[in-house]
Amino acid sequence: MTQPALTVASLIRDEPLRQACSTWLPQGRYELMELGLRQNPAAELERCWDQFDAVLLEPGVLSVEAFQRLRAQGMILPAVVLGPISGQMEYFKDEVHLPPDQMEQLSYSLDAAISRCLRRRSSPGSGDDLEASDSHAGESEQSNWRLPHRLRERLGYLGVFYKRDSSRFLRNLPAAERKLLLRSLQRTYRDLLISYFHDQTAANQALESFVNTAFFSDLPIAKTVEIHMDMIDEFWKKLQLEGHRQDFLKDYRLALLDVMAHLCEMYRRSLPPETSVKANDGMVGKVITASQVQS
């Protein structure tokens, strides 16, 4: 599927991170605008806000005051924060977090951030109203309408949440790229398991990162289970080698159930509105399989 270019503001100063962004955001689909090395990145973002569709953020590049000023003016863009999983929000509630050692997932994380923004701003009747109103406090009506309208013009009427790019599905990637993406997903899943029982906010960010990439890359469910089992097996061998008990590892089945539940919800939400069925109205809806939720 040929995609129009999305203009992404990059507020990244770390040189290896900047290079990784250029590597993992394919030209033609994304146009990267470097603002992080400018003297006043916040002022540049504010000045050119209308030109951008999303933003990449490195923690610490913008001050708290700069964030507050941008939010107060309604200058909220779909955001991917590139930094350690900390559980902290950098920009606003809908941002997506991606650790620097998982940059292979960057384009999928951007799709997830954009689709989340479209969904919240386009579904006033959804159950997310209270959270959405909190996330977008201070936004003007004009800015609240303008960004989704601009994204729809570029991405199609339903937005990226309903139109995944099948060329970037795991099964359609070149073998070397597919291998790198799977390794990256394994690192994400490892982050999820490590933080699952002792750091809820970090675990939630890792879970969201994994599920976002799994959805937009069309990761098979069987592969998700395989990643879980391989990781648990790795932990079991390490604990056995160190003389520790391993019986508690069975509790991590809850993490896999969490992942599956979130994936099911993403597939449910990805069905176009006209396919929804209201049983109590006696309507017969069109059945769409998960594999059909693509362009």
Side-chain angles (χ1 to χ4, degrees), residues 5-294:
L6 290 172
T7 305
V8 181
S10 174
L11 277 72
I12 309 292
R13 285 180 176 160
D14 180 76
E15 184 59 28
L17 206 54
R18 290 174 63 239
Q19 292 179 3
C21 290
S22 298
T23 299
W24 293 107
L25 290 182
Q27 293 183 355
R29 179 177 171 83
Y30 302 99
E31 181 182 0
L32 203 57
M33 303 294 291
E34 300 283 357
L35 303 181
L37 298 180
R38 307 242 181 132
Q39 186 173 6
N40 191 338
E44 290 294 329
L45 183 63
E46 185 175 335
R47 183 175 65 85
C48 304
W49 182 81
D50 274 336
Q51 301 175 23
F52 300 128
D53 303 304
V55 60
L56 303 179
L57 294 170
E58 179 184 352
V61 170
L62 296 186
S63 66
V64 174
E65 293 75 20
F67 282 127
Q68 290 175 342
R69 186 172 67 252
L70 290 168
R71 281 194 292 261
Q73 297 180 77
M75 294 183 173
I76 299 297
L77 292 166
V80 178
V81 179
L82 303 174
I85 296 293
S86 64
Q88 295 181 350
M89 295 292 105
E90 287 289 332
Y91 190 42
F92 80 124
K93 194 172 293 187
D94 280 345
E95 67 195 25
V96 174
H97 288 244
L98 188 68
D101 68 341
Q102 296 160 25
M103 292 295 289
E104 297 87 347
Q105 302 178 52
L106 179 56
S107 63
Y108 303 102
S109 294
L110 265 173
D111 279 354
I114 290 170
S115 69
R116 187 180 295 184
C117 175
L118 282 171
R119 187 174 71 246
R120 288 198 186 277
R121 300 190 188 200
S122 305
S123 304
S126 71
D128 293 329
D129 282 352
L130 292 177
E131 190 175 351
S133 62
D134 180 49
S135 298
H136 305 134
E139 294 185 55
S140 66
E141 287 186 15
Q142 183 181 15
S143 68
N144 200 38
W145 170 85
R146 192 167 55 214
L147 177 63
H149 182 74
R150 185 171 75 233
L151 288 171
R152 281 201 191 88
E153 284 183 340
R154 299 212 190 182
L155 299 171
Y157 177 70
L158 291 175
V160 293
F161 205 84
Y162 306 129
K163 295 178 66 177
R164 298 179 298 167
D165 183 355
S166 60
S167 70
R168 294 189 301 126
F169 283 0
L170 185 71
R171 62 181 177 271
N172 296 330
L173 296 178
E177 191 174 338
R178 182 164 61 247
K179 188 175 182 179
L180 287 172
L181 181 59
L182 282 172
R183 286 180 178 175
S184 182
L185 280 165
Q186 288 167 351
R187 291 193 293 272
T188 306
Y189 204 86
R190 184 184 180 88
D191 288 344
L192 167 61
L193 294 183
I194 288 174
S195 58
Y196 192 74
F197 287 114
H198 69 86
D199 190 339
Q200 183 179 358
T201 51
N204 284 340
Q205 287 182 352
L207 186 148
E208 284 189 353
S209 181
F210 183 90
V211 169
N212 289 335
T213 302
F215 176 79
F216 283 100
S217 68
D218 203 40
L219 182 74
I221 295 299
K223 196 66 182 177
T224 302
V225 175
E226 181 183 325
I227 289 173
H228 174 86
M229 298 304 295
D230 287 347
M231 200 63 62
I232 294 299
D233 188 53
E234 179 185 321
F235 288 170
W236 188 90
K237 289 177 180 177
K238 180 177 175 60
L239 290 168
Q240 185 185 46
L241 207 64
E242 296 174 353
H244 300 301
R245 51 187 284 268
Q246 306 97 23
D247 58 319
F248 69 91
L249 290 175
K250 65 179 182 295
D251 295 337
Y252 284 96
R253 288 176 296 187
L254 293 173
L256 180 59
L257 291 174
D258 250 354
V259 167
M260 295 302 185
H262 279 74
L263 268 175
C264 286
E265 180 62 12
M266 287 193 77
Y267 278 114
R268 184 190 69 79
R269 291 186 176 188
S270 71
L271 295 175
E274 60 267 23
T275 67
S276 300
V277 179
K278 292 184 179 179
N280 57 355
D281 290 337
M283 298 174 62
V284 179
K286 180 181 178 183
V287 177
I288 296 182
T289 63
S291 60
Q292 292 175 298
V293 185
Q294 54 179 290

